[in-house]
Amino acid sequence: MYIKVCGMRDAQNIRDVEALEVDIIGFIFWPESKRYVSTKPDYLPIEAERAGVFVNASPDEIVHKVKEYGLQYVQLHGDEDIAYVTNLQKLLEASVPRMPRIVRAIQVASRSKVLKAMMWDGFVDGLLFEAPTTGYGGSGVSFDWSLLSSYRGNTPFFISGGIGPQSLEALLEFEHPQWIGVDLNSRFESSPGFKDVALLRPFVEALKKMKN
């Protein structure tokens, strides 16, 4: 199972979180986010992979960030449709030496939303299921994970939204053949964009035991 910590931008904090041996560290490139990365940090993860979070960005902008940050994941949280993703993939293939994996965020409000997510099979590398919100990006709240039992797609998925120390028991009990990881963010912060490593460490260690 992948452990992804998102919404980071402070160089030393990135080092400290990476030292916990998480799998992916995420950077948010949506200007309206409280965790927006306006300036490239002095340190980028070396052992952990790098993900970029985008909301209705132009394909050219995404290509630029993939090159600048060496992104291995592109996470889409806006109104991007299949035609957009297909165009983006073609542009990335022609522009970067290593194709990043594309992850599509899906807001889960009902079983019908989960069923509709199967339309992305064959077009993206992963899905990220999160709570519904009136805007874009994460809401910091959880959703009813039992809705995911209706998902029968072939695309693996992450669970996101309001996951914190209180979520550990539920994660230990959750099962799905396509579930590959968790996305951690606001519930482990001392301030927007700055993770509380002391709070994060025992949670990550417990998740690693799950992976084994």
Side-chain angles (χ1 to χ4, degrees), residues 109-162:
S110 63
R111 291 190 186 278
S112 63
K113 289 287 187 180
V114 175
L115 292 171
K116 190 175 180 181
M118 290 186 276
M119 66 182 279
W120 290 97
D121 277 2
F123 294 100
V124 297
D125 302 289
L127 299 173
L128 185 143
F129 289 120
E130 62 182 2
T133 178
T134 54
Y136 298 108
S139 62
V141 299
S142 188
F143 66 94
D144 183 2
W145 297 350
S146 69
L147 295 173
L148 300 180
S149 63
S150 60
Y151 179 68
R152 295 291 183 270
N154 297 316
T155 306
F157 66 83
F158 291 79
I159 294 178
S160 181

Side-chain angles (χ1 to χ4, degrees), residues 13-126:
N13 198 219
I14 293 169
R15 289 180 186 271
D16 293 340
V17 169
E18 185 180 32
L20 301 179
E21 298 182 355
V22 301
D23 301 290
I24 307 166
I25 289 178
F27 302 92
I28 297 177
F29 299 115
W30 182 41
E32 294 186 39
S33 171
K34 291 185 289 187
R35 297 162 186 85
Y36 173 57
V37 182
S38 59
T39 304
K40 186 176 179 180
D42 292 335
Y43 176 80
L44 295 174
I46 298 172
E47 299 300 327
E49 293 189 297
R50 308 169 189 177
V53 176
F54 301 90
V55 175
N56 297 330
S58 71
D60 286 337
E61 178 185 347
I62 292 178
V63 169
H64 174 73
K65 292 298 184 184
V66 168
K67 291 179 177 179
E68 183 182 12
Y69 281 75
L71 301 178
Q72 287 104 356
Y73 289 85
V74 169
Q75 191 171 307
L76 303 174
H77 278 258
D79 303 310
E80 302 89 356
D81 58 14
I82 288 175
Y84 173 98
V85 170
T86 300
N87 180 53
L88 173 62
Q89 289 171 328
K90 290 178 180 178
L91 186 58
L92 285 166
E93 287 174 348
S95 306
V96 298
R98 179 185 174 188
M99 184 71 178
R101 281 153 281 186
I102 308 295
V103 176
R104 184 68 175 91
I106 304 290
Q107 294 185 5
V108 179
S110 63
R111 291 190 186 278
S112 63
K113 289 287 187 180
V114 175
L115 292 171
K116 190 175 180 181
M118 290 186 276
M119 66 182 279
W120 290 97
D121 277 2
F123 294 100
V124 297
D125 302 289

